[in-house]
Amino acid sequence: METVRDEIAVVLMEPVPVSRLKTYQSLRRQVYFFQSISVLFCFSCCLFTVMYHSSPTTCKENGTMEAPKIDRQLQGPESSSEESEDSQRITSFIRLTAKSGNFSEEGHVPWMEFGSQNHNGYFTLDKDSESLKILREGTYKVSLQITYRGVEEHNGIIFLQHDINHYSESYHGPPQPLLTYMETVNFTSPYWRKSLFSEGIFYLQVDDRLMVSTNSLSLIDVGEKKGQKTVFVVYPHFST
């Protein structure tokens, strides 16, 4: 037993070979070197990340500040005038209602302006109150509603008809009917009301005129709230 202990003590006390010590020191220097490289790499990555994120923010702010300048350069006088003209077209219209008076059985409907109007140089009502004159060439939407009412017996059967007629300076001849509405009604009571509505889209030239004729002029309801019952509306129409 004593011999074994002495051998172990002799082994433990033997010095480490010089070659092994040099190898250990070399490995240790390599570990330190790689650790330094890793730390330096991590630091470089962090620095690059910070600089990268700070740079786009500056660019974004500059872009936001420059955008209004570009818009102001594009919005010149021509652009403003075009927008004003488009807005003017959209809001331009004329609304007419039938005049009161003693009329014959057939003839042209006399009109008067009803409510607030915004012509903007598109329409004018002639002095005869029967002709609506077009001042600008273009496409127009024309709407007509006439309300008739009975005041006496007509054998129970009445034929109603009204026409929107087109007069043009470009040709000589009779007016051209744009819209015609016809209806036969049978009433058992002499007191009745009937509204007839027609509408269309037409291309009109400068100085063209629109007139409405009816075979029952004396039966047009020009009483209370006639502005809602009998109306003639025209406005510029633009397809989308």
Side-chain angles (χ1 to χ4, degrees):
M1 188 68 177
E2 292 293 338
T3 303
V4 175
R5 291 180 180 177
D6 292 339
E7 290 179 358
I8 294 174
V10 171
V11 172
L12 293 176
M13 293 179 63
E14 287 183 357
V16 179
V18 177
S19 59
R20 185 177 298 178
L21 181 59
K22 290 182 178 181
T23 303
Y24 173 75
Q25 292 176 347
S26 176
L27 290 175
R28 188 173 183 180
R29 283 195 299 268
Q30 291 179 5
V31 171
Y32 286 155
F33 175 76
F34 285 116
Q35 288 178 347
S36 301
I37 294 296
S38 300
V39 172
L40 182 60
F41 178 76
C42 294
F43 177 77
S44 301
C45 291
C46 294
L47 182 60
F48 176 78
T49 303
V50 172
M51 294 179 63
Y52 176 79
H53 284 286
S54 62
S55 178
T57 304
T58 305
C59 295
K60 187 182 295 184
E61 291 176 355
N62 293 336
T64 304
M65 294 175 63
E66 292 296 330
K69 295 182 180 179
I70 297 175
D71 291 341
R72 283 195 295 269
Q73 292 175 0
L74 294 176
Q75 292 178 355
E78 295 182 356
S79 178
S80 299
S81 61
E82 290 178 358
E83 291 179 359
S84 177
E85 186 175 356
D86 290 341
S87 176
Q88 180 177 332
R89 289 173 178 175
I90 294 173
T91 58
S92 297
F93 73 97
I94 189 167
R95 180 185 176 98
L96 307 174
T97 189
K99 274 187 173 182
S100 303
N102 296 320
F103 306 114
S104 60
E105 190 67 24
E106 297 183 4
H108 291 106
V109 180
W111 301 102
M112 59 181 291
E113 294 188 17
F114 175 76
S116 60
Q117 304 291 320
N118 186 12
H119 298 174
N120 288 326
Y122 279 86
F123 321 96
T124 183
L125 184 61
D126 281 354
K127 294 180 180 179
D128 60 7
S129 300
E130 297 177 353
S131 303
L132 180 62
K133 186 177 180 180
I134 305 300
L135 303 180
R136 293 194 184 186
E137 181 180 359
T139 304
Y140 292 84
K141 190 169 187 177
V142 182
S143 304
L144 173 65
Q145 175 177 292
I146 296 182
T147 299
Y148 300 93
R149 58 45 178 139
V151 293
E152 59 184 13
E153 186 110 20
H154 283 270
N155 297 324
I157 298 176
I158 300 175
F159 175 72
L160 301 174
Q161 176 180 340
H162 61 238
D163 305 271
I164 301 177
N165 298 313
H166 174 218
Y167 297 79
S168 178
E169 297 291 339
S170 60
Y171 65 89
H172 300 282
Q176 301 297 316
L178 296 180
L179 285 175
T180 298
Y181 194 107
M182 296 179 290
E183 186 166 340
T184 300
V185 292
N186 188 355
F187 298 96
T188 58
S189 172
Y191 303 102
W192 51 267
R193 280 182 173 81
K194 181 70 174 180
S195 295
L196 306 183
F197 178 82
S198 53
E199 185 177 72
I201 299 173
F202 307 98
Y203 178 78
L204 303 174
Q205 297 179 343
V206 178
D207 293 333
D208 285 1
R209 286 173 168 82
L210 300 178
M211 301 178 70
V212 177
S213 61
T214 177
N215 69 336
S216 303
L217 190 60
S218 61
L219 296 181
I220 295 179
D221 189 350
V222 292
E224 186 179 359
K225 297 182 179 180
K226 65 177 181 178
Q228 283 78 37
K229 292 181 291 186
T230 298
V231 292
F232 187 33
V233 182
V234 182
Y235 59 90
H237 177 81
F238 304 91
S239 59
T240 55

